[in-house]
Amino acid sequence: MSDLNPTVAELVERSNRLGADPKNTNYAGGNTSAKGTETDPVTGEDVELVWVKGSGGDLGTLAPAGLAVLRLDRMRALVDVYPGIEREDEMVAAFDYCLHGKGGAAPSIDTAMHGLVDAKHVDHLHPDSGIAIATAADGEELTATIFGDQVVWVPWRRPGFQLGLDIAEIKEKNPQARGCVLGGHGITAWGDTSAEAEANSLWIIETAASYIEEHSKAEPFGPALEGYAPLPEAERRAKAAALAPTVRGIASADRPMVGHFTDTEEVLDFLAHAEHPRLGALGTSCPDHFLRTKVKPLVLDLPSDASVEDSIARLQELAVSYREDYQAYYDRNATPDSPAIRGKDPLIVLVPGVGMFSFGKDKQTARVAGEFYVNAINVMRGAEGLSSYAPIDEAEKFRIEYWALEEAKLQRMPKPKPLATRVALVTGAASGIGLATARKLAAEGAAVVIADLSLEKAQAAAAEIGSTDVAVGVQVDVSDAAAVQAAVDATVLAFGGVDLVVNNAGLSLSRSLLETTEKDWDLQHDVMAKGSFLVAQAAARAMIAQGMGGDIVYISSKNSIFAGPNNVAYGAAKADQAHQVRLLAAELGEHGIKVNGVNPDGVVQGSGIFASGWGANRAAVYGVEEQDLGKFYAQRTILKREVLPDNIANAVYVLCSAELSHTTGLHIPVDAGVAAAFLR
């Protein structure tokens, strides 16, 4: 950062340090600022500026481009035209007229706090320890007890221009103060230097945490509830996998969601104690928390050892109640100009003994929602340990959740990709057609599970596609029913469920009838015919439980139709797969599950099958060099084009896209035109 303004460099470095530690603030939560000078390119004179983290950014990964840059004189001049708290939202648009230069991030609602406070460096953070004090019933008294006159209590006020004025006044009237606790919300600290602001922030966070640790009651969440202790890990995760599709269906009644599962100690301990139903019903408090988690979670009110069947039945009952309660919450608080209701489904579902399911528009959003609820649990533990947890009231939560500014932010979000919210499981996906298909589905917005016989190769392929929020690798032998179920379980635990399955795993041995052994026959049928059946069966169970429809695509072959020499076992197995498409399309249609197939031919490039000896054998059969096999196949086609893995991937995508929403039982040839394999 040597070319940067030193003030900006210090601010970014401080922000990254603070944001890297979850005890300081949650993901994308809080904001930091610094005031300094730069040369105005118009006048050539120094101009005072304030750099502040822009709307939607994350402190841990903040870069200079993520800062909003404002003229300090113009920003502070807004005080003279401030129309009052009833119209304070108008001030956010006014910030645009204070910007310096071009580029940079959009100013956030907290910009006023940073610009109006008379300190060169300001940090506003959401630490669990600080919010615990902020949400305690006697938070004001605790603030005085814990910090003396070094930290000042600020009663709850919705973020905005007035809150900035309030904190500026507090700073002016309390020159000895290092910062303040914002009731129901978080903390703000300041300093004359970047190092001083950071030190003051950390001092408030650590002082609060130490006080909670030293003075908290032994059981903040009440006594242990009999029968609600965590299940052993293997049993816990098996039950979670069995419940996940139903839970995802509940969370996706209004719009499809991607899920995340968490069984951390914090979650399991919370659910194992007597006060969790009361505290869960109180909901979260910090605006960053409940905007991600909704005002409260859905909590299963059954003990840890409740059967999967009983748990599912009760969850479905509770889902109806949750939707009714949320509608009533909206109706109680909505005004004629409130945005329309955004959906009545829970974003957090808690299952005693098992853990937490969290949901969002993609995996990252779902994972972060879960992280925020863990933050909320930590906050409740701290507040209950010292006092009692008293979050901001329902009306204030509604004002935040259905804030016109929040609605505007949502409307600015980019249009989702075509396969957004869809979870895909692709077998044989570490190379060739499978890998190309996984890449294509991920590029179109799907979360992808790469399943392959080699765990190492599956994980490497997934890492190549993206982070674990986008793709994960799992090991599977598709001929083993238990291994297939384990792969489907891993899929639903990774992303909440499964919507799109590609049966691609395959192998081939090119041998004549007389040379084909029983072992050859069994191996190819076990992997392709039996394997496809097992994968489709396990995935269909999950899809039916979700109630969200789905797609199953078989990568069959030209050889499922065309009779060629020296591939009796392979061709018969592919014909089996091709008829499975028709059979399952007829059976699963009532559940909204489409089943289609793709018939490739001559896909040499990147193919594991061709590399494992099939290519050499095919080349020998046709009397060509192995390296020329792709060109040979191309020349025998109508279009004279070589078929590549990407061509197959594109066909899979089209079959699963909205454009073919009414198509099932279809086989698409992707062979550049082989007349003998035309479907009749």
Side-chain angles (χ1 to χ4, degrees), residues 425-429 450-455 458 473-488 505 535:
L425 169 63
V426 186
T427 65
I450 307 283
D452 201 88
L453 195 57
S454 165
L455 176 61
V474 301
Q475 192 277 334
V476 68
D477 174 355
V478 295
S479 68
D480 181 334
V484 167
Q485 188 60 55
V488 172
V535 171

mmCIF file of all heavy atoms in Angstrom, residues 425-429 450-455 458 473-488 505 535:
data_model
loop_
_atom_site.group_PDB
_atom_site.id
_atom_site.type_symbol
_atom_site.label_atom_id
_atom_site.label_comp_id
_atom_site.label_asym_id
_atom_site.label_seq_id
_atom_site.Cartn_x
_atom_site.Cartn_y
_atom_site.Cartn_z
ATOM 1 N N LEU A 425 -25.424 -32.679 -7.792
ATOM 2 C CA LEU A 425 -24.529 -33.795 -7.474
ATOM 3 C C LEU A 425 -24.151 -34.447 -8.798
ATOM 4 O O LEU A 425 -25.018 -34.949 -9.526
ATOM 5 C CB LEU A 425 -25.235 -34.800 -6.563
ATOM 6 C CG LEU A 425 -24.541 -36.150 -6.337
ATOM 7 C CD1 LEU A 425 -23.190 -35.966 -5.642
ATOM 8 C CD2 LEU A 425 -25.430 -37.092 -5.530
ATOM 9 N N VAL A 426 -22.861 -34.437 -9.121
ATOM 10 C CA VAL A 426 -22.372 -34.998 -10.382
ATOM 11 C C VAL A 426 -21.432 -36.147 -10.067
ATOM 12 O O VAL A 426 -20.436 -35.963 -9.346
ATOM 13 C CB VAL A 426 -21.639 -33.927 -11.223
ATOM 14 C CG1 VAL A 426 -21.258 -34.497 -12.592
ATOM 15 C CG2 VAL A 426 -22.506 -32.683 -11.388
ATOM 16 N N THR A 427 -21.718 -37.333 -10.585
ATOM 17 C CA THR A 427 -20.848 -38.485 -10.331
ATOM 18 C C THR A 427 -19.790 -38.583 -11.428
ATOM 19 O O THR A 427 -19.978 -38.099 -12.545
ATOM 20 C CB THR A 427 -21.658 -39.790 -10.270
ATOM 21 O OG1 THR A 427 -22.239 -40.065 -11.554
ATOM 22 C CG2 THR A 427 -22.764 -39.700 -9.225
ATOM 23 N N GLY A 428 -18.665 -39.210 -11.073
ATOM 24 C CA GLY A 428 -17.563 -39.311 -12.020
ATOM 25 C C GLY A 428 -17.108 -37.945 -12.489
ATOM 26 O O GLY A 428 -16.782 -37.740 -13.664
ATOM 27 N N ALA A 429 -17.048 -36.997 -11.555
ATOM 28 C CA ALA A 429 -16.899 -35.587 -11.937
ATOM 29 C C ALA A 429 -15.487 -35.039 -11.765
ATOM 30 O O ALA A 429 -15.293 -33.835 -11.867
ATOM 31 C CB ALA A 429 -17.882 -34.738 -11.131
ATOM 32 N N ILE A 450 -18.875 -32.633 -6.260
ATOM 33 C CA ILE A 450 -18.086 -33.458 -7.173
ATOM 34 C C ILE A 450 -17.919 -34.823 -6.519
ATOM 35 O O ILE A 450 -17.243 -34.951 -5.490
ATOM 36 C CB ILE A 450 -16.681 -32.853 -7.383
ATOM 37 C CG1 ILE A 450 -16.767 -31.401 -7.813
ATOM 38 C CG2 ILE A 450 -15.861 -33.700 -8.340
ATOM 39 C CD1 ILE A 450 -17.138 -31.168 -9.221
ATOM 40 N N ALA A 451 -18.543 -35.857 -7.085
ATOM 41 C CA ALA A 451 -18.428 -37.208 -6.531
ATOM 42 C C ALA A 451 -17.575 -38.051 -7.468
ATOM 43 O O ALA A 451 -17.812 -38.071 -8.677
ATOM 44 C CB ALA A 451 -19.813 -37.836 -6.368
ATOM 45 N N ASP A 452 -16.590 -38.730 -6.906
ATOM 46 C CA ASP A 452 -15.686 -39.525 -7.732
ATOM 47 C C ASP A 452 -15.135 -40.674 -6.894
ATOM 48 O O ASP A 452 -15.132 -40.614 -5.656
ATOM 49 C CB ASP A 452 -14.541 -38.659 -8.261
ATOM 50 C CG ASP A 452 -13.877 -39.258 -9.490
ATOM 51 O OD1 ASP A 452 -14.359 -38.979 -10.612
ATOM 52 O OD2 ASP A 452 -12.911 -40.015 -9.338
ATOM 53 N N LEU A 453 -14.649 -41.684 -7.580
ATOM 54 C CA LEU A 453 -14.065 -42.828 -6.872
ATOM 55 C C LEU A 453 -12.841 -42.398 -6.074
ATOM 56 O O LEU A 453 -12.549 -42.943 -5.011
ATOM 57 C CB LEU A 453 -13.697 -43.913 -7.881
ATOM 58 C CG LEU A 453 -13.403 -45.319 -7.359
ATOM 59 C CD1 LEU A 453 -14.588 -45.861 -6.556
ATOM 60 C CD2 LEU A 453 -13.070 -46.256 -8.518
ATOM 61 N N SER A 454 -12.133 -41.388 -6.552
ATOM 62 C CA SER A 454 -10.955 -40.858 -5.856
ATOM 63 C C SER A 454 -11.333 -39.600 -5.089
ATOM 64 O O SER A 454 -11.682 -38.582 -5.700
ATOM 65 C CB SER A 454 -9.844 -40.536 -6.855
ATOM 66 O OG SER A 454 -8.854 -39.720 -6.256
ATOM 67 N N LEU A 455 -11.258 -39.653 -3.767
ATOM 68 C CA LEU A 455 -11.554 -38.479 -2.956
ATOM 69 C C LEU A 455 -10.568 -37.358 -3.260
ATOM 70 O O LEU A 455 -10.957 -36.187 -3.377
ATOM 71 C CB LEU A 455 -11.504 -38.831 -1.466
ATOM 72 C CG LEU A 455 -11.705 -37.665 -0.496
ATOM 73 C CD1 LEU A 455 -13.075 -37.026 -0.690
ATOM 74 C CD2 LEU A 455 -11.541 -38.131 0.955
ATOM 75 N N ALA A 458 -11.493 -35.726 -6.480
ATOM 76 C CA ALA A 458 -12.764 -35.005 -6.335
ATOM 77 C C ALA A 458 -12.553 -33.678 -5.624
ATOM 78 O O ALA A 458 -13.087 -32.641 -6.032
ATOM 79 C CB ALA A 458 -13.772 -35.866 -5.571
ATOM 80 N N GLY A 473 -15.889 -31.765 -2.788
ATOM 81 C CA GLY A 473 -15.605 -33.079 -3.348
ATOM 82 C C GLY A 473 -15.896 -34.177 -2.352
ATOM 83 O O GLY A 473 -15.583 -34.036 -1.169
ATOM 84 N N VAL A 474 -16.516 -35.258 -2.834
ATOM 85 C CA VAL A 474 -16.792 -36.413 -1.978
ATOM 86 C C VAL A 474 -16.387 -37.680 -2.709
ATOM 87 O O VAL A 474 -16.345 -37.733 -3.938
ATOM 88 C CB VAL A 474 -18.286 -36.502 -1.575
ATOM 89 C CG1 VAL A 474 -18.720 -35.250 -0.831
ATOM 90 C CG2 VAL A 474 -19.181 -36.755 -2.786
ATOM 91 N N GLN A 475 -16.079 -38.712 -1.935
ATOM 92 C CA GLN A 475 -15.725 -40.013 -2.506
ATOM 93 C C GLN A 475 -16.976 -40.860 -2.637
ATOM 94 O O GLN A 475 -17.828 -40.870 -1.750
ATOM 95 C CB GLN A 475 -14.708 -40.719 -1.603
ATOM 96 C CG GLN A 475 -14.044 -41.941 -2.216
ATOM 97 C CD GLN A 475 -14.867 -43.217 -2.112
ATOM 98 O OE1 GLN A 475 -15.688 -43.347 -1.207
ATOM 99 N NE2 GLN A 475 -14.648 -44.147 -3.018
ATOM 100 N N VAL A 476 -17.100 -41.566 -3.761
ATOM 101 C CA VAL A 476 -18.225 -42.490 -3.899
ATOM 102 C C VAL A 476 -17.885 -43.613 -4.865
ATOM 103 O O VAL A 476 -17.264 -43.382 -5.903
ATOM 104 C CB VAL A 476 -19.507 -41.768 -4.373
ATOM 105 C CG1 VAL A 476 -19.390 -41.263 -5.808
ATOM 106 C CG2 VAL A 476 -20.720 -42.678 -4.249
ATOM 107 N N ASP A 477 -18.268 -44.809 -4.476
ATOM 108 C CA ASP A 477 -18.306 -45.956 -5.380
ATOM 109 C C ASP A 477 -19.778 -46.153 -5.693
ATOM 110 O O ASP A 477 -20.548 -46.607 -4.843
ATOM 111 C CB ASP A 477 -17.708 -47.188 -4.690
ATOM 112 C CG ASP A 477 -17.841 -48.458 -5.522
ATOM 113 O OD1 ASP A 477 -18.481 -48.418 -6.589
ATOM 114 O OD2 ASP A 477 -17.326 -49.509 -5.085
ATOM 115 N N VAL A 478 -20.195 -45.789 -6.903
ATOM 116 C CA VAL A 478 -21.630 -45.771 -7.198
ATOM 117 C C VAL A 478 -22.250 -47.157 -7.203
ATOM 118 O O VAL A 478 -23.477 -47.284 -7.182
ATOM 119 C CB VAL A 478 -21.919 -45.057 -8.542
ATOM 120 C CG1 VAL A 478 -21.533 -43.592 -8.466
ATOM 121 C CG2 VAL A 478 -21.241 -45.760 -9.704
ATOM 122 N N SER A 479 -21.428 -48.194 -7.213
ATOM 123 C CA SER A 479 -21.978 -49.555 -7.187
ATOM 124 C C SER A 479 -22.291 -50.028 -5.776
ATOM 125 O O SER A 479 -22.830 -51.115 -5.584
ATOM 126 C CB SER A 479 -21.004 -50.527 -7.856
ATOM 127 O OG SER A 479 -19.822 -50.678 -7.077
ATOM 128 N N ASP A 480 -21.965 -49.205 -4.788
ATOM 129 C CA ASP A 480 -22.160 -49.544 -3.374
ATOM 130 C C ASP A 480 -23.285 -48.672 -2.813
ATOM 131 O O ASP A 480 -23.141 -47.456 -2.706
ATOM 132 C CB ASP A 480 -20.847 -49.295 -2.627
ATOM 133 C CG ASP A 480 -20.921 -49.632 -1.142
ATOM 134 O OD1 ASP A 480 -22.035 -49.585 -0.562
ATOM 135 O OD2 ASP A 480 -19.870 -49.916 -0.554
ATOM 136 N N ALA A 481 -24.404 -49.273 -2.445
ATOM 137 C CA ALA A 481 -25.575 -48.517 -1.994
ATOM 138 C C ALA A 481 -25.266 -47.655 -0.776
ATOM 139 O O ALA A 481 -25.722 -46.509 -0.682
ATOM 140 C CB ALA A 481 -26.730 -49.465 -1.688
ATOM 141 N N ALA A 482 -24.496 -48.196 0.159
ATOM 142 C CA ALA A 482 -24.166 -47.427 1.365
ATOM 143 C C ALA A 482 -23.301 -46.218 1.015
ATOM 144 O O ALA A 482 -23.483 -45.121 1.565
ATOM 145 C CB ALA A 482 -23.448 -48.315 2.371
ATOM 146 N N ALA A 483 -22.357 -46.403 0.087
ATOM 147 C CA ALA A 483 -21.496 -45.303 -0.325
ATOM 148 C C ALA A 483 -22.302 -44.229 -1.060
ATOM 149 O O ALA A 483 -22.066 -43.025 -0.896
ATOM 150 C CB ALA A 483 -20.367 -45.822 -1.215
ATOM 151 N N VAL A 484 -23.261 -44.640 -1.864
ATOM 152 C CA VAL A 484 -24.117 -43.690 -2.574
ATOM 153 C C VAL A 484 -24.943 -42.875 -1.583
ATOM 154 O O VAL A 484 -25.045 -41.645 -1.690
ATOM 155 C CB VAL A 484 -25.027 -44.422 -3.577
ATOM 156 C CG1 VAL A 484 -26.137 -43.499 -4.082
ATOM 157 C CG2 VAL A 484 -24.208 -44.965 -4.743
ATOM 158 N N GLN A 485 -25.531 -43.559 -0.585
ATOM 159 C CA GLN A 485 -26.316 -42.836 0.410
ATOM 160 C C GLN A 485 -25.437 -41.863 1.179
ATOM 161 O O GLN A 485 -25.859 -40.736 1.489
ATOM 162 C CB GLN A 485 -26.990 -43.810 1.378
ATOM 163 C CG GLN A 485 -27.973 -43.142 2.336
ATOM 164 C CD GLN A 485 -29.109 -42.444 1.625
ATOM 165 O OE1 GLN A 485 -29.814 -43.045 0.820
ATOM 166 N NE2 GLN A 485 -29.290 -41.145 1.886
ATOM 167 N N ALA A 486 -24.205 -42.266 1.466
ATOM 168 C CA ALA A 486 -23.279 -41.382 2.174
ATOM 169 C C ALA A 486 -22.974 -40.138 1.338
ATOM 170 O O ALA A 486 -22.858 -39.027 1.874
ATOM 171 C CB ALA A 486 -21.982 -42.122 2.508
ATOM 172 N N ALA A 487 -22.859 -40.302 0.015
ATOM 173 C CA ALA A 487 -22.592 -39.154 -0.859
ATOM 174 C C ALA A 487 -23.790 -38.210 -0.901
ATOM 175 O O ALA A 487 -23.632 -36.985 -0.881
ATOM 176 C CB ALA A 487 -22.243 -39.635 -2.265
ATOM 177 N N VAL A 488 -24.996 -38.758 -0.943
ATOM 178 C CA VAL A 488 -26.190 -37.917 -0.920
ATOM 179 C C VAL A 488 -26.311 -37.219 0.430
ATOM 180 O O VAL A 488 -26.648 -36.035 0.506
ATOM 181 C CB VAL A 488 -27.448 -38.744 -1.249
ATOM 182 C CG1 VAL A 488 -28.717 -37.922 -1.038
ATOM 183 C CG2 VAL A 488 -27.389 -39.240 -2.695
ATOM 184 N N ALA A 505 -20.883 -41.237 -13.867
ATOM 185 C CA ALA A 505 -19.827 -42.219 -13.587
ATOM 186 C C ALA A 505 -19.903 -43.370 -14.579
ATOM 187 O O ALA A 505 -20.981 -43.913 -14.838
ATOM 188 C CB ALA A 505 -19.970 -42.742 -12.163
ATOM 189 N N VAL A 535 -27.937 -44.134 -7.432
ATOM 190 C CA VAL A 535 -27.819 -42.686 -7.256
ATOM 191 C C VAL A 535 -29.180 -42.022 -7.452
ATOM 192 O O VAL A 535 -29.591 -41.159 -6.662
ATOM 193 C CB VAL A 535 -26.771 -42.102 -8.231
ATOM 194 C CG1 VAL A 535 -26.801 -40.572 -8.201
ATOM 195 C CG2 VAL A 535 -25.375 -42.607 -7.876
#
